[in-house]
Structure formats: structure tokens, C-alpha cells
Amino acid sequence: MNKLQLALTGNPNSGKTSVFNLLTGATQSVGNWPGVTVERKSGSYRKNKQVMIQDLPGIYSLAPYTPEEIVARDYLLQDHPTAIINIVDGTNLERNLYLTTQLMETGIPVVVAVNMMDLMKKNGRTINLEKLSYGLGVEVVGISAIKKQGIDELMKTTLHVVEEDHQTVHYPSYDARLEAALDEISDVLGNTVCPSQTRWYAIKLFERDPRAIDELNLSRLQQKEIEEIIAIAEKIFQDSSDAILVNERYEFITKLIALCMVDEKNHFLKVSDHIDHIVTHRILALPIFALVMWGMYYLAIQGIGGFGTDWVNDVLFGSLVPDFVQKTLIHWQVATWMQDLIINGIIAGVGAVLGFLPQLIVLFLCLAILEDCGYMSRIAFVMDRIFRKFGLSGKSFIPMLIATGCGVPGVMASRTIENEKDRRLTVMITTFMPCSAKLPIIALVAGAFFPKASWVAPSAYFIGIASIVLSGIALKKTRLFAGDPAPFIMELPAYHLPQVRSVLNQTFLRSKAFVKKAGTIIFVSTIVIWFTFKFNFSLQEVPGDQSMLATLGGVISPIFKPLGWGVWQGAVATITGLVAKENVIGTFGILYGHLGSVSDNGKEVWSLLHADFTPVAAYSFLVFNLLCAPCFAAIGAIRREMGTVKWTLTAIGYQCGLAYLVSFVTYQLGHVLFEGGSLGFQTFLSLIVLAYLIYQIVRKPKQTIIELTNVVPSMKEG
Ligand code: GDP
């Protein structure tokens, strides 16, 4: 078996010698590095002789100036150790992390050991190691060499990192413009250097590092191209290229420090950190999030919001408004068709949508509170951690959070993602998030079909998130999207009490946008829907099931039969939902509303839906409308962000395809399990589809393995 080579690095006085002695015990061999009078020590790990530990000289940076720096740097680049253990003095974190960023730039897996934990405790300063690890993107272990604490854990973590079969290398994240310049230099380098060192050399060339320039033997043309790239960057940053990198490293470190330093003396920050320990806990975070979401939806859909919506639906738009309007219209002797349009078209449609306003207001209020107090950014942090495990960019979660309001700005927010593949992927999956226009659909299905079950509404939210995460995982394994994630640090502001003003303002703005849409797009749509529902193609007034709408719906509806809702009304609502998702409800309002025939406190408004949908079919309808193509405005945004029609169609196709498959499985299995449906060919088919979907998520990515084997020969050539 090959011996594992671990390199021990750190600043002078970080405690490296102490750690080295603890790790190797009596097995050390001491000599000199070739050609220089720098002491060279190595030894095997006390507990596993197969693990060799190479002690590197104490250094502050990997610049090629002092003999120590040159020795350390040459060893890392030429001897390719399996991993680097970076000893960091926790009492001097900022200065020590400077070396860490450079070690990470080498592309060799790094494990950070924060030493002097005992001393820090005494001084009343703590580092939140989880956050540091998150920010750096590498494993971090707290140790105290003097107290011999944490050493075993450090080795366990390191060996684990080494064993992981698909390690993703994390680089520090720098300014997007610098990253772009580095990418361009990497392109110029092509396969002059082996892929795992491309980024290192891109950085070194950018810094005009003399040793790297010597080592590479670049052609005249390459040198010229690189010099041009550097010149542009220097113009943009108004600084010399080596200064740009130093600044960027420190900026990265400043962000890290802000993220992970806990000041025990500042009581508030300390409490904030304690809360973070719980809500961002590796295991507890998701259950807590689920509970919070459940509580929020319960309050909004069934609780306070529910009463409000019942009243608006049943009393306000159920009798008060239509009765009053009808009397007025009769009084004014308005033509009967006009009366019908106003009462059974506009009021039924727009009213149905506005009926959900009370629930939405409560939901907006809860969301605004969660956002304002800082909880939602913690969730992005937790999700990011999950995403990264699968090689996805954490930045994808900002668009997702925005998309809970509206998909259009959500899709646009993907612009912050530099990596083209990750950006496309994000555009493709962001609109799975239930936006505020989809909430009425959720509230309707939950209220009309599952009045007693409090899980239905939050489940829609989780289906959205699960579709995003699982799609991300599955798609990232395909050739279209494979690649390393862009590094990213989320800033986590300390918790604070939500500010009444900003919460109310946020809620008001969102509610206003909703009402405004009801008065414009939805208003016009209801007129069209009413008209096509009243007349047939010969423009004769006919019963609804012979109308244009029914005829058109009837053509499409067979497609949805396997999903449990093959009725034309479902097809029509889904199609009108493309104009704006609120239309799904507006359409149902017109098709099923039959206002006037409803009793005074007409609980029955939505009960007519039961004639055409079983509860499981309604749920499948909800799932489909949640995941399928978003409204035209969002499709437009996708088109703009994707740039090409082909990519846009791919995205819409994926969304509709996934929506269809998931709804199919939901209905077929749900119908058999909960509604006594009989087992049949479709049940069997749905099991196959389910297995296929699961396989796409859990399978090993084939492509990356192929890419890796391609890498090896070119390394030899290089
Ligand atoms: P090196 O220069 O990086 O090899 O560091 P050393 O191992 O020689 O340690 C430098 C100084 O820090 C020594 O005085 C150590 O006793 C002290 N030291 C090392 N680790 C710890 C620790 O965990 N806690 C404290 N309080 N002191 C430490």
C-alpha cells in the first residue's frame, strides 16, 4: 500500500512543532532540505505507520522569497502531498489565514487545525469553527497542542478527507472580475500545466511571480496574451496585479472573520451565536426549519388567515358584493349579459383571487418577520451547506429566497453567479419555489380538500425546496452542468428583533402588488375566460360544458388523465395559469363559483370542486401547477437570463416534464394507498418512474470519472 503523505504547514509560532511531536512521537527523522540550511523533519503517524507526515518550515506566505518559502512551495507543488494540515494560531486568526488562502490556491485538499483554543477561551474570544469551515469550504478542527486536545480528531478528519472518493477542491472566493481574469489566464495556459494546478499557476502568473514564470516556459504568444489580461485587470482595479491579489485575500479573510468570530464580551453577539448553534445545527437545522414553516403555514392558511379568507370568500364576495352589485345593476337596468359578465365573470374571478388576500397577508407578515430577524439567511446558510456537498453553488439559494416572493426577480438574481453552468442550473430550478401567486392554489387545495390536515400547505413549500435540491443534485451529475461549485460566503447578520416598520412595509408592498395584479392581468383574464366559457365557437350562448373553453380544454385534458384530473376544467385552469398563476383560482372561481346559488354563509363555494377532483387528484393538480412552467413573465425572465431559445426550451421542458412525472407518481400511488384505487398497469408504471427519479438522484456521476481519467495522461505529458 502506498504511504499517505501529509504536509504540516503553518506560520512560525503557530504550534506546528508541538503538533508534529504529538503526531509522530519518537519516529522523527531530521535532516536538511537539499541545498539550503533549512531543517527538514518527517515522521510517521504514531497510530498508523502508513501515514507519513512531512513538517514544512514555518512561513507566512508562499511567495518565493525566503528559503523557507521556496522549500515549502516546491515541496507542495512537486511532491504532491495527499493533503495539507494547516496549523493556525487562533489568537492571531487574521494573519494566519493569509497563508491558508494560499495553501488552498494550490489545489491540494487542506484541513485547518485552529490551535491555542485554550488560550482563546481564557481571553474571552471564541471562533465558531462551523462557520469558519463553511466560509473556507474546508474542514476545520479546534485543537490545543499544549493540552493535547483535539489531535486525534484532527487526524480522523484529515484521513476522512483523504478517503472521500470525490473530493471537490475549494478555492477562496475572490472578486468576480478577478475570477474572470484568472479564468482567462487558465484558458491561455490550456494544457501547458496539469489541470489540478491550473488555478495555482493562473494566480501566480497574475501576480507576475518570477519563479512561476521560470517554471512554465511559456511561449511568446502566451506571455503576451497573459500580459494583456493582467493589464486590463490592473486598469479595472486601478492597482498593480500583485496588490489586487493581496487585497482580495484580505477581503476574503475579513469576511471570514466577521462570519466566525464570537466576542464573548458582547452579550448580544454571544446570544446570537448560541441561537445559531441550534438553528444551523447539522442535524437539527432541517427539522427546526420544517417546524417553523409548518407553524407559519398553519397560522396563515388555517389560523388567523383562514378565518379572514373564509369571511372574504363566503360573505364578502359570496353574498355582500354580488348582491349589492346585482341590485345596483338591475336598478340601472344594465343589459343581462353585462350583469352576467360583471357578476359571474369579473366578481367571481377576481373575487376568488382576492379571497385569498387575508391568508396571504398573514403569510407575508410571517415571512417578513423571519427575514427581518435574520432567520431566513440562516436557512440559506443551512441549504448552502447541503448544496455544497453535492458540488452546487451556495449562491443558488439567494435566487430561491427571492423567488418565494416572485419568480421574475428570483430568476434575475441568478446573475450574481459567475459560473455559467451553475447560473443556468439555477435559472432552471428557481421557479419551483412557491411564489406568492401560487399560494392561493395551495390555500385552495388545502382548504377545500384537506380542511383538517395542517400538513398540506407546508408540504407544498417542501415539495418546492425538495425539487430544487434534488433537481440540483441530479442535474449536476449530467454533462450539461458538471463542474466545481463557485465558492461563496454568506454574511450572517446578528439576530435582532424584527422592526415593526420594515415588516409592515414589506407586507404592505407585497400585498399591494398582489391586489394590483388582481386588478389588471387577472381582471382582463377573467373577462376572456368568462367570454369563452359563455359562448361556443359560433358565438352562441351555450351551457358551460359546450363552450369554447370546454372544447379547447377537452382537447388537452386527456394528457392530464393519468395525473388524476382529466377534466377539461383542470386543463383550462392550468393553461390560464401560464398568464398568471392567480388565474388558476380565478378560472375556478368562474367555472365553479355559480355565485348566487350559494347559501348565505356559503361554505360550499369550493365544494363543487369535489365533483371533478378526488383529494389525491387535487393534490396532484397542486403539485403539477407548482412545478410546471411558470407564468409568462417568469418564462420571459428565463429567456433573458438563458440567452438562447434552446436553453429556454430545455428549462421549460425540464420543468413541465418533472411536474408531470412527480404528479403522476403522486396520484397513482396516492390513489391506491388512500382512495382504494385498484392496482393496475399505471401503478406499476408509476413505481418505475419513481425508481427512475430516485436513481437519477443517487447514481454516481459517470462523467466526472471519465474526465478524471482523461486528466491523468495529460498530467504525465505536462
Ligand atoms: P512552531 O513555531 O509553529 O513550531 O510552534 P511551537 O510548537 O514551537 O509553539 C510555539 C509556542 O506556542 C510555544 O511556546 C508553545 O508552547 C506554544 N503553544 C503551542 N501550542 C499551544 C496551545 O495549544 N496553547 C497554548 N497556550 N500554547 C501553545
Side-chain angles (χ1 to χ4, degrees):
M1 182 188 144
N2 275 339
K3 290 196 170 183
L4 280 180
Q5 285 282 354
L6 302 180
L8 201 60
T9 60
N11 286 9
N13 281 320
S14 58
K16 211 164 47 60
T17 311
S18 314
V19 174
F20 182 72
N21 290 341
L22 285 173
L23 287 177
T24 57
T27 66
Q28 305 178 8
S29 65
V30 183
N32 263 4
W33 291 91
V36 279
T37 53
V38 178
E39 190 183 58
R40 173 176 188 154
K41 283 191 300 185
S42 61
S44 56
Y45 178 38
R46 258 180 330 113
K47 298 193 174 174
N48 181 352
K49 300 286 177 231
Q50 296 303 319
V51 180
M52 291 301 299
I53 298 165
Q54 175 66 57
D55 187 34
L56 296 180
I59 45 173
Y60 293 109
S61 104
L62 286 179
Y65 298 114
T66 68
E68 285 82 5
E69 285 167 351
I70 295 177
V71 162
R73 168 180 161 137
D74 286 354
Y75 174 78
L76 292 178
L77 289 179
Q78 285 156 20
D79 290 39
H80 302 289
T82 326
I84 300 172
I85 297 179
N86 176 208
I87 309 292
V88 161
D89 174 358
T91 61
N92 237 321
L93 195 60
E94 191 155 357
R95 196 187 64 198
N96 277 246
L97 285 176
Y98 190 71
L99 177 66
T100 310
T101 58
Q102 291 185 306
L103 294 172
M104 286 169 66
E105 287 166 5
T106 62
I108 301 169
V110 176
V111 174
V112 170
V114 178
N115 194 19
M116 319 261 181
M117 290 300 272
D118 58 307
L119 209 61
M120 298 192 57
K121 216 176 200 168
K122 235 193 248 160
N123 297 347
R125 299 197 76 183
T126 319
I127 299 174
N128 185 324
L129 298 175
E130 281 228 338
K131 287 187 188 169
L132 180 61
S133 162
Y134 160 81
L136 279 169
V138 304
E139 293 289 341
V140 174
V141 183
I143 63 169
S144 166
I146 224 163
K147 300 209 158 170
K148 306 191 171 128
Q149 282 164 352
I151 304 294
D152 285 344
E153 200 203 329
L154 172 64
M155 283 310 281
K156 221 169 89 189
T157 307
T158 310
L159 295 179
H160 185 73
V161 166
V162 171
E163 276 162 15
E164 265 178 26
D165 45 0
H166 48 245
Q167 310 157 354
T168 38
V169 177
H170 286 287
Y171 298 111
S173 60
Y174 300 139
D175 186 288
R177 296 163 302 176
L178 171 59
E179 296 283 351
L182 295 176
D183 282 349
E184 282 176 37
I185 298 181
S186 306
D187 285 346
V188 175
L189 285 177
N191 43 23
T192 324
V193 286
C194 87
S196 65
Q197 292 186 344
T198 307
R199 187 173 162 102
W200 161 266
Y201 277 110
I203 289 178
K204 291 298 126 181
L205 291 174
F206 187 87
E207 289 179 310
R208 299 201 180 87
D209 177 296
R211 203 173 172 84
I213 295 173
D214 277 355
E215 279 164 352
L216 284 183
N217 230 333
L218 295 175
S219 72
R220 269 276 162 79
L221 183 68
Q222 281 176 313
Q223 288 179 22
K224 195 171 147 250
E225 282 177 340
I226 291 172
E227 204 37 61
E228 276 166 12
I229 296 168
I230 298 175
I232 294 173
E234 288 182 325
K235 210 174 223 166
I236 295 175
F237 284 88
Q238 295 283 321
D239 212 340
S240 69
S241 70
D242 50 345
I244 296 174
L245 257 164
V246 173
N247 282 338
E248 282 300 321
R249 289 193 189 110
Y250 275 115
E251 202 138 290
F252 175 69
I253 292 168
T254 310
K255 272 196 254 170
L256 275 175
I257 302 272
L259 183 74
C260 72
M261 266 301 186
V262 186
D263 191 346
E264 300 273 336
K265 286 178 196 128
N266 183 332
H267 181 68
F268 192 70
L269 286 180
K270 202 175 140 193
V271 172
S272 188
D273 196 64
H274 280 313
I275 299 177
D276 271 356
H277 265 301
I278 302 169
V279 303
T280 64
H281 186 268
R282 266 176 205 280
I283 297 161
L284 291 178
L286 283 184
I288 291 176
F289 177 52
L291 209 66
V292 170
M293 283 299 132
W294 177 82
M296 182 175 95
Y297 273 89
Y298 186 78
L299 205 66
I301 310 263
Q302 257 125 340
I304 312 170
F307 293 122
T309 286
D310 279 351
W311 185 82
V312 176
N313 266 342
D314 302 341
V315 183
L316 189 66
F317 288 114
S319 52
L320 290 182
V321 173
D323 286 353
F324 172 77
V325 173
Q326 183 139 39
K327 278 195 196 110
T328 318
L329 293 176
I330 291 174
H331 181 72
W332 289 347
Q333 297 183 327
V334 172
T336 39
W337 70 265
M338 189 68 171
Q339 286 187 28
D340 195 69
L341 166 65
I342 293 176
I343 303 217
N344 295 332
I346 296 169
I347 296 181
V350 175
V353 174
L354 286 181
F356 291 94
L357 187 62
Q359 288 173 326
L360 278 177
I361 291 178
V362 178
L363 207 61
F364 290 154
L365 197 68
C366 294
L367 272 176
I369 292 174
L370 290 180
E371 270 166 29
D372 202 60
C373 75
Y375 181 70
M376 285 319 253
S377 54
R378 264 73 189 178
I379 287 312
F381 172 92
V382 170
M383 291 296 176
D384 176 47
R385 209 165 47 196
I386 301 172
F387 246 45
R388 274 206 206 174
K389 277 215 168 68
F390 300 98
L392 287 152
S393 165
K395 282 195 178 173
S396 305
F397 270 91
I398 303 294
M400 179 194 109
L401 281 182
I402 297 176
T404 54
C406 172
V408 175
V411 168
M412 271 155 55
S414 67
R415 280 184 202 170
T416 54
I417 301 168
E418 293 94 29
N419 181 309
E420 189 62 14
K421 285 180 175 177
D422 283 352
R423 202 175 62 78
R424 288 220 172 98
L425 178 63
T426 307
V427 170
M428 202 147 144
I429 59 186
T430 293
T431 53
F432 286 150
M433 212 58 212
C435 66
S436 49
K438 289 178 190 164
L439 290 176
I441 314 179
I442 299 173
L444 170 68
V445 170
F449 291 91
F450 306 91
K452 294 206 178 66
S454 58
W455 58 268
V456 174
S459 76
Y461 196 82
F462 292 122
I463 286 176
I465 295 188
S467 302
I468 290 181
V469 175
L470 300 180
S471 289
I473 294 170
L475 291 173
K476 197 71 193 171
K477 292 177 185 173
T478 63
R479 203 177 282 274
L480 279 182
F481 299 104
D484 283 341
F488 162 59
I489 305 184
M490 187 110 41
E491 306 201 5
L492 294 186
Y495 288 100
H496 58 86
L497 282 181
Q499 301 201 301
V500 180
R501 232 186 115 105
S502 93
V503 165
L504 290 184
N505 193 29
Q506 176 87 304
T507 309
F508 175 72
L509 285 178
R510 286 187 174 177
S511 307
K512 195 174 102 182
F514 183 78
V515 173
K516 195 171 156 206
K517 218 164 142 201
T520 50
I521 292 190
I522 311 302
F523 177 83
V524 174
S525 299
T526 52
I527 296 178
V528 176
I529 296 164
W530 173 83
F531 180 78
T532 48
F533 180 54
K534 258 322 233 212
F535 298 93
N536 65 9
F537 282 105
S538 322
L539 297 184
Q540 289 160 323
E541 197 172 329
V542 285
D545 53 2
Q546 293 164 28
S547 63
M548 275 183 236
L549 205 58
T551 314
L552 287 175
V555 175
I556 312 165
S557 61
I559 303 175
F560 300 117
K561 198 151 194 310
L563 311 188
W565 38 282
V567 289
W568 65 267
Q569 289 91 335
V572 163
T574 302
I575 301 295
T576 57
L578 291 177
V579 175
K581 291 286 164 182
E582 294 93 333
N583 265 345
V584 173
I585 299 307
T587 306
F588 278 162
I590 296 173
L591 303 190
Y592 293 98
H594 302 291
L595 293 162
S597 70
V598 178
S599 62
D600 304 335
N601 113 39
K603 278 269 173 226
E604 294 81 29
V605 175
W606 295 116
S607 66
L608 289 162
L609 282 165
H610 285 269
D612 290 322
F613 294 81
T614 66
V616 174
Y619 195 78
S620 143
F621 177 80
L622 170 63
V623 170
F624 186 84
N625 276 283
L626 217 53
L627 302 183
C628 75
C631 64
F632 287 138
I635 294 178
I638 292 177
R639 165 78 181 82
R640 276 196 301 279
E641 297 308 316
M642 285 295 198
T644 66
V645 174
K646 200 172 135 211
W647 268 107
T648 313
L649 291 179
T650 310
I652 304 300
Y654 177 76
Q655 292 161 351
C656 292
L658 185 75
Y660 196 88
L661 293 183
V662 175
S663 310
F664 178 65
V665 172
T666 308
Y667 175 70
Q668 293 298 337
L669 297 187
H671 189 56
V672 170
L673 290 175
F674 305 113
E675 294 178 338
S678 53
L679 288 167
F681 172 69
Q682 296 204 339
T683 328
F684 175 67
L685 198 63
S686 70
L687 285 173
I688 294 182
V689 171
L690 183 64
Y692 172 78
L693 292 176
I694 294 175
Y695 170 74
Q696 291 301 326
I697 295 163
V698 298
R699 79 188 168 105
K700 287 236 157 151
K702 245 192 227 132
Q703 283 78 0
T704 36
I705 295 167
I706 296 169
E707 277 167 22
L708 278 181
T709 46
N710 283 342
V711 163
V712 180
S714 73
M715 268 167 86
K716 282 183 190 138
E717 285 156 26

